[in-house]
Amino acid sequence: MDLFAGGAVGTLFTVLYEVVKDVKDKTMMFKSLLGDLKSTLDSLKPLIEDIEKYNNLMDRPKEELENFKEKMKNGAVLVPKCSTVSRWNTYKKYKYAKKLLDLDQCLNRLLTILNAGGVRDGKETLYRVMNIEEKIDKLQIKEEVVLPKKLDIKAWCAVPELPPVTVGLDEPLRDLKKKLLKDDVSMLVLTAHGGSGKTTLATKFCHDKEVKDKFNNNIFFVIVSKKPNLDFVEEVYQSMNSEDARQNPLLLILDDVWLGSISLLQKFDGLKGPNGKILVTSRSEFPGFGTSYFLESLNDKDSMTLFHHSASLGNRSSSIPEDLLRKIVERCNGFPLAITVTGNSLRGQATEFWRKRLRDWSKSSILDIETELLLRLQSSIDALDEKDAIIKECFMDLGSFPEDQRIPAAAVIDMWAELYELDEDFLSITNLLELTTRSLANLVITRKENMEMVDDYYVEHFVTQHDMLRELAVYNAKLDPIEQRKRLIVDISGDNEPKWLTEQKSQPIKARLLSISSDGVFSTKWQSIQLPEVEVLVLNIQTKNYALPQFVEKIDKMKVLIVTNYGSLPAELSNFELLGSLSNLKRIRLERISIPSITKNPIQFRSLKKISLFMCNIGQALSNCSVKISDAFPNLEEMNIDYCHDLVELPTEACDLIHLKKLSITNCHNLYALPERIGKLANLQVLRLRSCTDLVKLPGSMKNLKKLVFLDISDCFSIRELPEDIGEISNLRNINMRQCSRLQELPLSVFDLEQLEEVICDEETGSLWEPFLNCLRSTRIMVAKENINLNWLQ
């Protein structure tokens, strides 16, 4: 068959060429991809016109030749449609982008067949398709704080710490001070693209000596974000509206305000008073709300300084040619986040990698700086090779959590333990540190000592991720057809359901991870969904009452359930009994959930190995539930209870969990007693009671914990004495007793702790061990110094 006879391909090619040429400059969204497509067509044009020279094409299989023809025909229809797609229509954007990419790949294959200089490889093509992604406006890492009881609102509105290096902000800082500190100016709106350094400048403003002297301690730093926590904002408003707060000069920072939050500006604008100043950071201007100040991009000198820091080049000479450095920095267009991400990704790489990166960028058309950054970020993901495949998967998993929220490392650990068989918690932390190194996430430790201590408990560890990085993770998760996706990330509320749900033809979805952010309302369409491979279910909620969806009982392979309530009060959780039929469920993590609501109905979790309760309302639920705790969790090996302020006493029934190996109760400040029968936990290896400030003593029966290896009573400063027979815990190797300030002496049985290897303490409690060290020759005393930071306030 002569496909080119009669000009069949020539005619189709001409139609496609003219259509692309006409539409390319009419759509900003697909302009770059269409530009690449036109470049491919430009390379093909002279060859198509002189096709007789390429008779070797006639030897191609008929099906392949027909495919070229069909692709050109469909392309001529597709391209005009690109100019009609709304930037908000995510489904069509992805759909058309894939088709354009497929067309370009097909034409590149034809180009290869015609020996016209080769084809750009698939990686470069995938890199180019990133150009069609919508503007990613959300660029600053924000964290929505949750207000616990008994905490001063000023502490929760504390000014963040400055990053180690800030460049190019001295002049803008002087401008801000000059404008905002005028007597006749009460509000200033600081605007710029996301990631331009608005929050950093606002933070630097608060740390300025002149500003601090003027406002003293009356500075509030409030992160608003796209979906503000209205309960928290109301708490801030009431605190600032007090008579005491308004008598003195007051500075309010409203950070990351979106257009939909004008009502908040109106609310706070009414209380600034004669001594009040308000600084707003936003991507948008707000006419009528004070003076505007636009933060310009960095100049060449400051850009180079920031890049040297990000790439760890310092001031020393490097093997990277200066001209190559300059070109790389120029392509970042003075955009701080782009400079930082680029520098970090090239840190320690050979010159060839730098040259390739610059070459890749030269192939893309810059629509705007944010899309340019998206390309940089995607190239960082694409740079992960096969040995880093799990790191890429871990990065994608972080998209399962809502934007503007801290991600508890403990939740990530539970996910990855089952998805990737990471049987040791520190292995997941290693992956998070790897992501941090690559600037794909940031691991924040809220409280830590000035020393390295291997504790393997990460309740104080949180992951923060730039909103654009989350967008990148979600984008990549959607590249595969719905039935083939490894992870399914769904954001629904009310009738706002994904289109694929209504279009799905009852085909099973192969995702292993399912993440749903919702208000708890699920339509009947969800009942027909087939999820035979889901192992991890992440439910993100923000409501007072939430019912587990009925389809949960059909997820037979589920191993991990993570329910996180981002509201300010514990949520009532119903339908919990649906989980009773899941024979593979190993881990449950609940955050800000009312536990009494899930213990009303008898339920048994025979396979459950670990349960974690974080900031939950427990009350008497563990002792008054409808089934004995040992019957509900007959094979439980680990129980973690953290920041549950209404826990007063651990119920005696917990001592019947005979398989328990790890028991951690931390930051439960009202806990005053442990059950006397705790010695029945014969398999217990780790006991953490960190920061249980009202705990007065430890039960004497602890002497029966013969397998106990690690004991943590740090910051339990109400404990006055240790059990008299503590020396009978013959296998004890590590004790953390830092800040046990009321402990006056140690029992003589300490001499019998022959296996004790390490005691972590402060200087005061360390002195109690001195009389015993001559006999405990293998015991190391490690004095920890407190590292004071405000990370825990975020």
Side-chain angles (χ1 to χ4, degrees), residues 552-596:
V552 166
E553 63 181 342
K554 298 188 295 184
I555 308 181
D556 298 328
K557 289 189 178 182
M558 189 199 302
K559 298 178 181 179
V560 181
L561 173 66
I562 299 171
V563 184
T564 305
N565 171 28
Y566 293 96
S568 58
L569 298 174
E572 299 282 329
L573 193 62
S574 57
N575 282 353
F576 208 69
E577 62 274 10
L578 296 175
L579 303 173
S581 62
L582 303 180
S583 59
N584 292 302
L585 187 58
K586 297 180 180 180
R587 297 166 180 254
I588 294 178
R589 187 180 193 277
L590 305 177
E591 181 170 342
R592 222 167 281 107
I593 300 297
S594 175
I595 302 305

Side-chain angles (χ1 to χ4, degrees), residues 409-415 417-418 422-426 428 455-459 559-561 585-590 605-614 622 629 632-642 650 654 656-666 681 683-688 690 710:
V412 175
I413 287 171
D414 285 339
M415 290 172 50
E418 302 301 332
L422 302 180
D423 54 354
E424 297 285 350
D425 291 356
F426 75 87
S428 294
D455 181 53
D456 281 346
Y457 195 57
Y458 300 102
V459 70
K559 298 178 181 179
V560 181
L561 173 66
L585 187 58
K586 297 180 180 180
R587 297 166 180 254
I588 294 178
R589 187 180 193 277
L590 305 177
F605 298 92
R606 289 193 172 275
S607 301
L608 196 67
K609 301 295 184 182
K610 177 181 178 181
I611 186 167
S612 303
L613 309 177
F614 187 87
L622 296 181
I629 189 172
F633 310 122
N635 296 298
L636 194 67
E637 296 180 359
E638 182 173 352
M639 175 181 283
N640 302 320
I641 304 175
D642 305 294
L650 188 69
D656 295 326
L657 297 169
I658 58 175
H659 298 289
L660 202 64
K661 295 180 180 179
K662 297 179 181 180
L663 175 60
S664 300
I665 307 175
T666 73
L681 298 175
N683 289 299
L684 197 66
Q685 300 174 13
V686 174
L687 177 60
R688 294 188 185 89
R690 182 189 306 166
F710 182 84

